[in-house]
Amino acid sequence: MLAVLEKHLARMIIGLVVVAVFLAHVIELGGLRLPLLANLEAIVYDTRLRLTMPQTVDPRIVILDIDEKNLAEREQGGEGRWPWPRDRLALLMDKLFDRYEIAVVGFDIVFSERDESSGIRVLERLSERELRDVSQFQSILRRLKPQLEYDDIFARKIQGRPVVMGYVLLGEDSAAVQKKGMLPAPILSSKSFEGRTVATTSWGGYTANLNVLQKVAAGGGHINARTDDDGIIRRVPMLAEHGGAYYEPLSLAMVRVLLGSPPVKALAPGAGFGAGHARSELEWLQVGSLLIPVDEEACALVPYRGRTGSFKYFSIVDVMNERIDPAELRGKIVLVGTTAPGLLDLRATPVDPVYPGVEVHANMISGMLDGNIKQRPPFVVGAEFVLLLASGVAMALVLPLLTPLTSTLATLLVLAAALATNVMMLQHGDLVLPLASGLVMILLLFTLNMAYGFFVEARGMRQITGLFGQYVPPELVDEMARDPEKYNMKPRAAELTILFSDVRDFTSISEALQPEELREYINEYLTEMSAIIRNRHRGTLDKYMGDAIMAFWGAPVADPQHARNGVLAALDMQKECRILNEKFAARGWPTLKIGVGVNSGNVRVGDMGSKVRRAYTAMGDVVNVASRLEGVTKRYGADIIIGDGTRKLISGIVLREVDRVRVKGKEEPVTIYEPLGLEGQVEQAKQDEINIWNQALRLYRQQEWDRAEVQLLNLRKMAPDGELYGLFIERIAHHRAHPPGEGWDGAWTFETK
């Protein structure tokens, strides 16, 4: 387990660093805020909103629209260009409350300038100057003045009726911060929070309604929205701070008037719910029985019902001319606003890029009455932190341990769980949890793991392929590439089987062929022999030495059958020589004959050499003996000679013990064998020959020269071309002349390689 962790430690650390960056973004550690994630969160929120909004028309709320129809001239059925004389708005008040019996009306319009359309101001200047001494003029003016003070007329029509006035708050950095008109009474003061710290939007000035109008209105609210960094309106400040006091929006003011003007209470977590001490962050505003959730800036998310037209629109001129059925407006909440492009009350929202500002207030009123304003309280930061921490750490630690397929499935499962949890909390708990950061983090962790696997671990695979591809068969390279860290070229001790092969009488062959023919001859030979070693018997091709080949089994990939595979490769090489000789004979080329030596034992294998040239090779006494065994094959007339170390590791192969020898550079005698084929594939005559040979060899080692010679002569009759038997007949003659004496171990010493 520890080895596995060490293997993937780098990936785990990278994953944890990624998680730490996302966590720092969530809590804005050190002011860190990643704009891309914030923008993505806004996009995700907008998409989620569009997919879940009801897209129905709220029948409780209507909008009296100052549209193009209203702005037409009187003779065309309109009221002319805005602003209209306020005696006309006074008439509108009578129509709305007396004929249509509406519940409440709110103005998404600010009346900050006095109405002088009646000419009263001109008459007043005349009475103060040119006509101040004309008593008849002064008398008529006093009699007419109440009829010409349109602001006073409008105020009288507002008074005592549920009319809410809208006003605009100005930012601290506004180029023209001013305090114009009269603000309504604030709904809360700093004392209302009982020492708790509450973050809100703050405003330096305002453009409000005339005193004469605001004094008699049932209420007033700001018509500001909270525009996000991307210019989209998603929230409305439910508490806007100015001068240490807190003011409500138009929508809340209208709801309060509708409910009888109950006070507003600021609630922190647990307050009013029988819980213990409240936290400092504001989470709710309580208005009568209604609870309005707010976020960390005391703003509420606008619960958009749908695209433009989620509320019924009527032209004001149709109301004033009584062209609307009274049932259409009776008992309704009325908002007076404009959709006319020239009056500049069109906003960018998540549901429409061009959206009437008056519908923002209508959506807020609808959401407050239905209690379906989504919550994004301050504690969602903590919730997001915990969710990212849990899922991020789990993925950072687990993904590196998984295969690409299981990593993909696990990532899809985590993504599905994150989405399902988010949707469930939104639909059933009205809780807006951040989603973009989690999704991006999950996908980034997955991508980094896949990229790391491709670029880093695949690099290891490519290194394996580059390092070993020229030595070992492709299937072994693939096996090594699946776990490249297990394989490297560092020298190590290992039990291997070594094979040496060499072309006999190569000098004669080279003299008999033209240079181009010799190149083709040796290339075809080496190609076929290499294919047998690498592809057929999974051996590692070490090197070519002219016409000689060195190969081994058991490295870099462990091979429990390394000795058997080496011997089988040697047998197949001899068979291939016979096939090649048929091809060569057809081309008039010399016959090919090779000798193969095979030995097994402990060696050093790895990347060895000098600073100038290095190679992946094997070294040691076992290698030297294998080379010597190949050299003595021609002395015995054998195609293949294997050492005793190899003989002990194989089974199922018919062997003939050849001799016990001391090769050059070795004091200890080595028993050598000739493999003749697989059991069941060697002819019975050959088996009989081996049995007689074994008797002759035993007699030879017992120094019973005559009996041994008789057996050898019989063997020569059975196999006239058996060079081995002639060699031992010559040795018997030598030993007769030079008796080896007592204690002789039967070994023959070679003085040359």
Side-chain angles (χ1 to χ4, degrees):
M1 183 62 183
L2 184 60
V4 172
L5 291 177
E6 289 178 354
K7 174 183 176 181
H8 300 294
L9 184 60
R11 258 204 285 183
M12 291 178 177
I13 291 174
I14 292 172
L16 292 174
V17 169
V18 170
V19 175
V21 171
F22 276 81
L23 294 177
H25 162 79
V26 169
I27 62 175
E28 299 187 29
L29 182 64
L32 176 66
R33 190 70 178 166
L34 303 176
L36 176 62
L37 290 180
N39 292 338
L40 285 175
E41 189 62 60
I43 293 171
V44 169
Y45 173 81
D46 295 348
T47 303
R48 189 169 46 189
L49 175 64
R50 289 192 293 269
L51 292 174
T52 57
M53 59 188 183
Q55 302 190 59
T56 57
V57 175
D58 189 337
R60 299 168 298 182
I61 304 169
V62 297
I63 295 173
L64 297 189
D65 192 9
I66 305 172
D67 55 12
E68 296 292 343
K69 179 180 179 181
N70 288 270
L71 299 180
E73 296 302 323
R74 285 283 183 92
E75 56 270 19
Q76 297 173 339
E79 288 289 332
R81 67 177 185 176
W82 185 265
W84 300 333
R86 286 178 193 151
D87 63 331
R88 303 297 293 167
L89 295 178
L91 176 62
L92 176 64
M93 294 297 97
D94 285 341
K95 297 289 186 180
L96 288 175
F97 289 103
D98 296 340
R99 174 172 174 75
Y100 291 103
E101 299 176 356
I102 67 169
V104 62
V105 64
F107 282 93
D108 185 24
I109 302 166
V110 183
F111 304 103
S112 59
E113 301 290 342
R114 297 182 68 180
D115 183 359
E116 299 180 355
S117 61
S118 65
I120 184 64
R121 303 298 165 241
V122 175
L123 295 175
E124 285 180 341
R125 282 196 295 273
L126 288 173
S127 70
E128 293 171 357
R129 298 174 185 173
E130 291 86 348
L131 301 177
R132 65 176 178 274
D133 297 326
V134 180
S135 59
Q136 187 177 5
F137 177 81
Q138 297 290 343
S139 175
I140 294 172
L141 179 59
R142 284 192 297 271
R143 188 171 67 251
L144 292 177
K145 190 172 182 179
Q147 302 172 40
L148 298 177
E149 287 284 5
Y150 290 169
D151 289 325
D152 291 342
I153 295 172
F154 187 29
R156 287 196 297 271
K157 297 301 182 179
I158 290 173
Q159 190 169 15
R161 286 171 168 169
V163 178
V164 181
M165 311 301 290
Y167 59 91
V168 177
L169 293 170
L170 304 175
E172 296 281 2
D173 56 349
S174 173
V177 171
Q178 60 182 352
K179 297 180 181 179
K180 185 176 183 180
M182 176 184 180
L183 288 178
I187 58 171
L188 293 171
S189 68
S190 57
K191 296 180 180 178
S192 306
F193 303 115
E194 299 176 352
R196 295 193 300 268
T197 301
V198 175
T200 63
T201 57
S202 294
W203 309 84
Y206 53 84
T207 298
N209 296 280
L210 296 171
N211 290 23
V212 66
L213 300 178
Q214 188 62 64
K215 282 180 180 179
V216 297
H222 66 77
I223 57 177
N224 297 69
R226 182 71 166 87
T227 304
D228 289 338
D229 293 338
D230 56 1
I232 305 297
I233 292 175
R234 300 180 180 88
R235 300 180 292 162
V236 169
M238 302 307 290
L239 293 180
E241 187 272 335
H242 169 71
Y246 297 87
Y247 296 86
E248 63 190 322
L250 176 65
S251 54
L252 178 56
M254 291 179 67
V255 169
R256 288 178 60 235
V257 169
L258 185 68
L259 298 178
S261 298
V264 176
K265 295 181 181 178
L267 302 179
F273 297 96
H277 295 291
R279 295 198 324 234
S280 60
E281 295 89 350
L282 178 67
E283 287 192 14
W284 304 86
L285 294 180
Q286 185 176 15
V287 180
S289 61
L290 301 182
L291 285 175
I292 304 167
V294 295
D295 63 14
E296 70 280 358
E297 290 185 305
C299 294
L301 293 167
V302 181
Y304 291 100
R305 299 183 67 87
R307 301 189 66 182
T308 303
S310 296
F311 304 90
K312 233 176 182 181
Y313 279 77
F314 297 101
S315 291
I316 292 180
V317 292
D318 290 337
V319 174
M320 295 174 69
N321 292 305
E322 300 184 3
R323 293 195 286 258
I324 299 172
D325 183 350
E328 294 280 3
L329 296 180
R330 186 173 295 118
K332 300 299 175 65
I333 301 167
V334 176
L335 275 161
V336 179
T338 179
T339 60
L343 299 183
L344 304 177
D345 193 34
L346 298 176
R347 313 294 178 87
T349 68
V351 297
D352 251 331
V354 179
Y355 193 85
V358 66
E359 277 205 52
V360 174
H361 308 304
N363 278 289
M364 288 300 302
I365 294 170
S366 178
M368 282 186 268
L369 294 177
D370 290 336
N372 64 1
I373 295 178
K374 304 302 182 185
Q375 304 175 51
R376 192 159 65 186
F379 72 75
V380 297
V381 174
E384 183 182 15
F385 185 89
V386 171
L387 289 174
L388 289 183
L389 179 64
S391 60
V393 170
M395 291 190 68
L397 297 180
V398 173
L399 284 185
L401 306 178
L402 304 179
T403 64
L405 177 60
T406 53
S407 291
T408 303
L409 294 176
T411 301
L412 291 175
L413 184 62
V414 174
L415 282 173
L419 287 169
T421 301
N422 198 277
V423 171
M424 182 180 67
M425 296 301 293
L426 180 69
Q427 294 297 100
H428 301 290
D430 286 335
L431 187 63
V432 178
L433 291 177
L435 184 60
S437 296
L439 295 182
V440 172
M441 183 191 72
I442 291 168
L443 292 173
L444 185 57
L445 287 173
F446 173 75
T447 303
L448 285 174
N449 271 278
M450 293 298 102
Y452 187 95
F454 179 78
F455 290 108
V456 178
E457 294 185 354
R459 182 186 65 184
M461 296 180 186
R462 292 191 294 272
Q463 287 176 338
I464 287 292
T465 303
L467 292 173
F468 295 103
Q470 59 184 316
Y471 300 114
V472 299
E475 62 270 21
L476 289 188
V477 174
D478 293 340
E479 181 180 330
M480 296 163 67
R482 285 194 288 270
D483 192 3
E485 294 186 12
K486 286 178 59 177
Y487 305 96
N488 58 62
M489 301 188 79
K490 295 179 181 179
R492 61 186 177 89
E495 184 182 68
L496 307 184
T497 292
I498 314 297
L499 177 147
F500 278 90
S501 73
D502 193 18
V503 177
R504 294 179 183 170
D505 298 322
F506 183 69
T507 301
S508 300
I509 293 173
S510 62
E511 291 174 351
L513 294 172
Q514 294 297 319
E516 188 62 27
E517 291 177 321
L518 180 62
R519 182 184 67 81
E520 292 183 34
Y521 185 98
I522 200 66
N523 282 355
E524 189 164 354
Y525 157 70
L526 291 175
T527 298
E528 296 302 327
M529 297 301 110
S530 299
I532 291 171
I533 293 169
R534 296 176 72 246
N535 302 340
R536 198 181 304 177
H537 294 289
R538 295 166 58 94
T540 299
L541 189 64
D542 187 308
K543 62 175 70 75
Y544 301 130
M545 297 161 286
D547 59 299
I549 299 172
M550 176 183 172
F552 52 82
W553 284 258
V557 179
D559 181 5
Q561 297 293 319
H562 59 85
R564 179 179 175 84
N565 287 332
V567 174
L568 292 179
L571 290 169
D572 283 347
M573 290 168 72
Q574 293 294 348
K575 291 178 184 177
E576 188 63 32
C577 277
R578 292 190 283 273
I579 296 172
L580 284 174
N581 279 328
E582 293 178 4
K583 297 179 181 179
F584 292 166
R587 301 174 71 172
W589 288 354
T591 300
L592 172 71
K593 190 171 181 59
I594 65 171
V596 181
V598 180
N599 195 30
S600 303
N602 289 318
V603 300
R604 296 288 295 181
V605 62
D607 181 35
M608 290 178 276
S610 67
K611 292 182 179 179
V612 177
R613 188 174 185 276
R614 304 178 68 83
Y616 187 77
T617 188
M619 292 184 178
D621 186 59
V622 171
V623 178
N624 296 334
V625 170
S627 176
R628 302 292 187 273
L629 295 181
E630 179 278 317
V632 301
T633 54
K634 54 181 173 288
R635 303 288 295 274
Y636 294 98
D639 294 334
I640 306 167
I641 295 291
I642 70 172
D644 194 47
T646 302
R647 192 270 308 173
K648 293 176 181 178
L649 297 174
I650 62 175
S651 62
I653 297 175
V654 177
L655 301 175
R656 171 168 62 182
E657 183 179 348
V658 174
D659 199 359
R660 186 179 296 137
V661 300
R662 289 185 181 86
V663 296
K664 185 173 178 60
K666 288 279 293 181
E667 291 297 326
E668 292 295 322
V670 177
T671 304
I672 58 178
Y673 301 83
E674 180 184 14
L676 301 175
L678 294 174
E679 290 181 356
Q681 297 181 6
V682 177
E683 297 177 354
Q684 185 59 46
K686 197 66 176 178
Q687 296 277 12
D688 295 339
E689 183 182 334
I690 292 173
N691 291 334
I692 297 173
W693 161 251
N694 288 337
Q695 295 175 18
L697 189 60
R698 177 174 51 80
L699 293 170
Y700 168 79
R701 289 173 179 165
Q702 292 174 353
Q703 302 185 39
E704 296 185 24
W705 312 123
D706 295 338
R707 294 178 62 190
E709 189 175 36
V710 170
Q711 296 285 30
L712 290 169
L713 291 172
N714 290 333
L715 287 169
R716 288 198 69 171
K717 292 178 182 179
M718 295 174 65
D721 57 348
E723 297 180 29
L724 176 64
Y725 310 137
L727 174 65
F728 271 81
I729 290 173
E730 292 176 3
R731 284 189 185 177
I732 288 174
H734 172 79
H735 288 316
R736 281 187 178 128
H738 306 282
E742 293 185 7
W744 179 58
D745 57 10
W748 184 265
T749 300
F750 284 97
E751 300 299 336
T752 63
K753 296 182 179 181

